[in-house]
């Protein structure tokens, strides 16, 4: 970047640690920057840097430090592992988010939910071993680690009426790619979705 050029700084998280105040920065843009092809240039990005605020399909969690464990929401099976830190945004409903893991959760009532854990630093199993597609994980098992940006993006995609995309672009790109089946289903707000009720699981009563 030439000296004297204008710079826009996108800050996503101000925090205070024992060492003092700090600022977690998402990205830099200059007047010469090329906008993302799938996102308007005049919209602010979310803390994970994957989507604009009004299109964000999940929830972002911030951590005080990188390397912390990322746990599975529930028992499930690994159906997708993306190991590239620079994974592209193939479609707006998927987002370019770097390393991620997708789990498939099948409930006793036949309900199915996919969960996606995005912006991972490392993808590792509960004992620090490499995680592989087809591996079974238990609730709260470690499936990855927080990356240096200290942000985890989390999605829930239920397989239910009204959540299946009929997008022609998706069909042309992924219809014959088994490990991308999860992306066919629209994400829901993880903070409002009751996974236990969806799966027919009765909550314990006192």
């Amino acid at each position: 970047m030439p000296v004297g050029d204008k710079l826009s700084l996108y800050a996503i998280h101000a925090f205070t640690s024992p060492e003092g105040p700090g600022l977690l920065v998402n990205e830099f843009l200059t007047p010469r920057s090329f906008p993302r092809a799938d996102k308007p240039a005049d919209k602010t990005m979310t803390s994970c840097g994957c989507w604009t605020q009004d299109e964000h399909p999940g929830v972002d969690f911030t951590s005080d430090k990188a390397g912390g464990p990322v746990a599975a929401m529930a028992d499930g099976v690994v159906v997708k592992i993306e190991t590239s830190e620079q994974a592209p945004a193939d479609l707006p409903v998927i987002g370019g988010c770097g390393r991620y893991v997708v789990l498939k959760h099948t409930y006793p009532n036949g309900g199915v939910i996919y969960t996606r854990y995005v912006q991972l630093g490392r993808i590792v199993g509960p004992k620090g071993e490499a995680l592989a597609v087809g591996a079974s994980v238990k609730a709260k098992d470690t499936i990855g680690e927080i990356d240096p940006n200290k942000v985890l993006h989390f999605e829930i995609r239920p397989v239910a009426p009204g959540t299946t995309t009929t997008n022609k672009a998706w069909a042309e790109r992924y219809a014959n790619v088994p490990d991308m089946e999860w992306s066919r289903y629209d994400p829901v707000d993880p903070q409002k979705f009751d996974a236990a009720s969806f799966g027919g699981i009765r909550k314990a009563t006192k």
Side-chain angles (χ1 to χ4, degrees):
M1 176 175 182
V3 174
D5 233 3
K6 292 182 179 180
L7 176 71
S8 295
L9 174 65
Y10 288 75
I12 62 173
H13 183 53
F15 63 92
T16 302
S17 69
E19 290 75 32
L23 194 65
L24 183 60
V25 176
N26 181 40
E27 63 180 278
F28 293 89
L29 295 176
T30 76
R32 297 176 184 175
S33 296
F34 292 97
R36 289 164 55 110
D38 61 332
K39 298 291 177 285
D42 61 345
K43 294 186 178 181
T44 57
M45 301 298 289
T46 54
S47 57
C48 62
C50 302
W51 292 273
T52 56
Q53 292 287 353
D54 61 343
E55 297 174 321
H56 199 229
V59 62
D60 290 347
F61 299 96
T62 56
S63 174
D64 292 334
K65 63 180 181 178
V70 173
M73 181 192 80
D75 294 359
V77 176
V78 179
V79 296
K80 171 69 176 180
I81 293 177
E82 174 56 67
T83 59
S84 173
E85 187 178 0
Q86 304 299 325
D90 295 327
L91 291 172
V93 294
I94 298 175
C97 303
R99 300 183 187 92
Y100 64 83
V101 171
V102 179
L103 301 181
K104 181 179 181 180
H105 312 275
T106 303
Y107 293 89
N109 68 353
V112 173
I113 292 174
Y114 291 95
T115 55
R116 185 161 76 127
Y117 310 79
V118 187
Q119 291 283 33
L120 299 176
R122 286 201 311 155
I123 296 174
V124 294
K127 298 180 180 179
E129 75 280 12
L131 201 63
V133 171
S136 295
V137 297
K138 295 293 184 182
K140 300 183 180 180
D141 272 357
T142 296
I143 57 171
E145 296 178 351
I146 298 291
D147 83 343
N149 287 330
K150 304 175 186 176
V151 176
L152 171 70
H153 172 84
F154 174 69
E155 295 173 10
I156 294 180
R157 296 172 180 257
V159 178
T163 68
T164 306
T165 182
T166 56
N167 188 298
K168 180 180 179 181
W170 185 94
E172 291 176 346
R173 184 179 292 269
Y174 296 123
N176 297 315
V177 184
D179 70 356
M180 292 302 291
E181 174 67 16
W182 61 271
S183 67
R184 178 188 290 273
Y185 306 100
D186 295 333
V188 297
D189 186 342
Q191 297 173 312
K192 297 178 180 178
F193 183 74
D194 189 340
S197 294
F198 178 86
I201 299 174
R202 292 184 179 180
K203 295 182 180 179
T205 56
K206 295 182 180 179

